Amino acid sequence: MSAGPLPTIHEVARLAGVSVATVSKTLNRSGKVSELLQARVNAAARKLGYAPHASARSLRSGATRILGLLVADLANPYFLKLVESIEWLSSAAGYSVILCNSAEDPGREERHLAMLLSQRADGVIVIPTRRGWSGRQAALADLPMPGILVDRRIEGLDLDSVTTDNVALGRLAAEHLDDLGHRRIAVIMGSPEHQIARHRLDGLRSGLASRGITLDERLIEKDNFSEAAGHAAAMRLLRHAQRPTAIFATNNHLSLGLLRAIAESGLTIPDDLSVIAVDEPPWAGLVRPGMTIVTQPSEAIAQTTVSTLLSRVSEGRSGVEGEARSIQLQPALVVRGSTAAVRT
Amino acid sequence: MSAGPLPTIHEVARLAGVSVATVSKTLNRSGKVSELLQARVNAAARKLGYAPHASARSLRSGATRILGLLVADLANPYFLKLVESIEWLSSAAGYSVILCNSAEDPGREERHLAMLLSQRADGVIVIPTRRGWSGRQAALADLPMPGILVDRRIEGLDLDSVTTDNVALGRLAAEHLDDLGHRRIAVIMGSPEHQIARHRLDGLRSGLASRGITLDERLIEKDNFSEAAGHAAAMRLLRHAQRPTAIFATNNHLSLGLLRAIAESGLTIPDDLSVIAVDEPPWAGLVRPGMTIVTQPSEAIAQTTVSTLLSRVSEGRSGVEGEARSIQLQPALVVRGSTAAVRT
DNA sequence: TGGTCTTAGTTAAACGTTTTTCTAATGAAG
DNA sequence: CTTCATTAGAAAAACGTTTAACTAAGACCA
């Protein structure tokens, strides 16, 4: 915070003894400029510490090289991983990222979207809030720039999307538990209105069914996605007359609550109970025998998201409409010590 | 992604039957416009779905209403909390945030800084990387917009800063452990070159000293800040001939490693060992008796940061130089079950 | 009545780029 | 020696705002 006003392209041009057009062409490597003048221009620019004015540039050129990243909930470690990767990839591709946290509040989400529109972001990546989309798909559909949904899809909205195959995720858990001989399997599923939770449960159910096992509906705990809810649900399950031999927690918060409940009950994993969770929480190392998990391919999701969006961006706003790509990526099973063969 | 080109202020003006100046004044509530015309303008703007072009606006007005947020390491939960709060407060104040993660890489940090300069952010918030600042303070000092350092300070750089009083933090830990009668106190401090770690250690040492206790230098484990380092250090301490009765881990990653080591050793907290950590990690609930911690006031830090920066912004670039404010906020002790009176 | 003050509104300049159009110079071809 | 392309570079227009400078119309006053 010392220098006065920043140098403009005109001052660079004057110092180099050329026209502003030549400076622009040199700095952008567009058009033909002789070696000699290029050298003079570059020297002048360096000497003055010239930094092109992004607003002026985008006003004229129509591109901002800014991406909007609208996240439903930054506190969710899985979303955070996505944010990290997306920021990394975007900046590698020469784009800056405006971060917006909607904190699961549709109102904030809408305001942020309006801001990104005013900002003329070249593209918008949206991890949408769980609720409040019923009447507001329009806000996204009418966006004049390319947009892409991540992790959660919005029903009835014709937009590119990248998500985990959550049915497959549930099925992976089912197959693993069956392989270990489990029959009394419980699920802490979170909110039954949430599409993702439903898909995971469906996957589990159908996976078990295809092995000839019927999921006991009384062992499905539904509530919300908080740690407290996970804890409460776990407590109910553990007090059950016939305790389940395995529990599937469909989300990070829930599994944290589950683990706390198990610790408080003095039970031992996996001797008394097998546990399988979703995604690698940062504290996975704390669970003694290691956590068996089904993971979403966050890296690949980020990568696909950014490359799909950027390809739409370069297609131009004239990109052929009505053929939204909806990409599903496959989860993976990571077996560690928290699941074991059922005691006979 | 449906509508064609976005409407400009001219089209709003034409539809409302007024001049563009009148539209501008109405929308910005600057200058005098009659009720009648205001109504016509607002109606026209709404009808067309007009969203002012931020680049054009800032080109002319000189302000972008964008803040740059340069974070040393997004994966650090404490920094993440700061990011969340800062984004929240900024957006409440009408500013958008460009998020940059330097991932502790000075090179990335420098490139991001250049980008924020080009972007003409109105202000820049920097949580600087640990290393690589020796020769590069210039990059920050020469920034033509207000900047502010958070969490870490850079020696010899005359810039506003908001940090935790880390000496006080160490002292809090010292007093608590002394109150419980601990004498053999170990520290897992991370890198000794890191100012923050040094301050915390200094605080612990001086706190103990003022109670007449000398910190055993052989129980100070120095390495880096990774979980692995924390684990290794803990293992060494636990194997010590005379095991310490309490361990102070100065950072989130380190305490995670420490807890893992304790779990693997089959020791019980706090019966065999008291543990005190810094900051509330998301998995604090997993530790059975609850974690005793010294917390940094992340909310207050974010608040102070944003308000200080924004006041600098409104002071204008002519803000009186050379009187950088360096603000220190006080940590707090949260006593839970992981510390207990030493066994006699 | 004629002059001066306000006031609501318009006109036009300016912000710093990119890009289209134009110019002058060089060289090749006839 | 013309004529015609080709080329490197310059001049100028344009992007969409804000804002300074201007104008016309009342209102007020002597």
Side-chain angles (χ1 to χ4, degrees), chain A residues 1 52 96 115 118 120 141 143 321, chain B residues 1 51-52 96 115 118 141 143:
Chain A
M1 194 171 176
S96 308
M115 180 273 288
S118 243
R120 299 295 193 274
L143 232 45
E321 306 284 352
Chain B
M1 194 173 175
S96 308
M115 181 272 289
S118 242
L143 233 44

Side-chain angles (χ1 to χ4, degrees), chain B residues 54-134:
Chain B
S55 296
R57 185 203 291 259
S58 50
L59 174 59
R60 171 63 222 218
S61 72
T64 54
R65 302 205 72 92
I66 284 181
L67 298 183
L69 177 50
L70 193 41
V71 186
D73 177 18
L74 251 187
N76 183 325
Y78 172 63
F79 291 162
L80 175 65
K81 258 193 248 170
L82 289 178
V83 170
E84 274 190 81
S85 303
I86 289 172
E87 191 271 347
W88 180 278
L89 294 166
S90 305
S91 106
Y95 284 80
S96 308
V97 172
I98 293 188
L99 176 71
C100 307
N101 183 12
S102 36
E104 296 288 3
D105 171 358
R108 279 180 70 80
E109 192 170 49
E110 192 164 10
R111 284 192 299 277
H112 276 139
L113 219 41
M115 181 272 289
L116 290 173
L117 171 58
S118 242
Q119 215 61 250
R120 300 294 194 274
D122 286 342
V124 179
I125 298 170
V126 184
I127 304 180
T129 56
R130 289 205 191 92
R131 331 221 63 217
W133 280 102
S134 39

Side-chain angles (χ1 to χ4, degrees), chain A residues 1-7 49 51-59 64-66 73-75 80 83-84 87-88 91-92 96-103 105 108 112 114-115 117-120 140-147 159 227 256 259-260 263-264 282-283 285-288 312 316-319 321, chain B residues 1-7 49 51-59 64-66 73-75 80 83-84 87-88 91-92 96-103 105 108 112 114-115 117-120 140-147 159 227 256 259-260 263-264 282-283 285-288 312 316-319 321:
Chain A
M1 194 171 176
S2 61
L6 291 173
H53 193 301
S55 296
R57 185 203 292 259
S58 50
L59 174 58
T64 54
R65 302 205 72 93
I66 285 182
D73 176 19
L74 252 187
L80 175 64
V83 169
E84 273 189 81
E87 191 271 347
W88 181 277
S91 106
S96 308
V97 172
I98 294 188
L99 176 71
C100 308
N101 183 14
S102 36
D105 171 357
R108 281 179 69 81
H112 276 138
M115 180 273 288
L117 171 59
S118 243
Q119 215 60 250
R120 299 295 193 274
L140 264 182
D142 288 354
L143 232 45
M145 65 278 272
L159 209 60
E227 199 218 316
L256 188 52
L259 291 174
R260 186 157 61 86
E264 287 170 17
W283 34 265
L286 269 191
V287 179
R288 236 10 301 301
R312 289 286 193 197
R317 62 200 57 234
S318 56
E321 306 284 352
Chain B
M1 194 173 175
S2 61
L6 292 172
H53 194 301
S55 296
R57 185 203 291 259
S58 50
L59 174 59
T64 54
R65 302 205 72 92
I66 284 181
D73 177 18
L74 251 187
L80 175 65
V83 170
E84 274 190 81
E87 191 271 347
W88 180 278
S91 106
S96 308
V97 172
I98 293 188
L99 176 71
C100 307
N101 183 12
S102 36
D105 171 358
R108 279 180 70 80
H112 276 139
M115 181 272 289
L117 171 58
S118 242
Q119 215 61 250
R120 300 294 194 274
L140 264 182
D142 289 354
L143 233 44
M145 64 277 273
L159 209 60
E227 199 219 316
L256 187 53
L259 291 175
R260 187 157 60 85
E264 287 171 15
W283 34 265
L286 267 190
V287 178
R288 244 356 314 294
R312 289 287 192 196
R317 62 201 57 237
S318 56
E321 306 285 354

Side-chain angles (χ1 to χ4, degrees), chain A residues 4 51 54 59 91 94 116 133 155 175 179 187 222 224 249 295 302:
Chain A
L59 174 58
S91 106
L116 291 173
W133 280 103
E155 343 207 349
E175 287 162 3
D179 288 345
V187 186
K222 308 171 181 177
N224 62 43
T295 55

Side-chain angles (χ1 to χ4, degrees), chain A residues 279-303:
Chain A
D279 282 330
E280 187 95 71
W283 34 265
L286 269 191
V287 179
R288 236 10 301 301
M291 283 296 293
T292 294
I293 52 179
V294 231
T295 55
Q296 309 185 67
S298 61
E299 285 282 335
I301 289 183
Q303 194 124 12

Side-chain angles (χ1 to χ4, degrees), chain A residues 15-16 22-23 41 61 71 84 92 97 108 122 132 139 170 182 187 193 214 219 251 283 285 325 343:
Chain A
L15 180 58
T22 303
V23 176
V41 167
S61 71
V71 187
E84 273 189 81
V97 172
R108 281 179 69 81
D122 286 343
H182 290 277
V187 186
E193 277 126 54
T214 311
L219 294 181
N251 143 311
W283 34 265
R325 293 173 237 176
R343 301 281 201 95

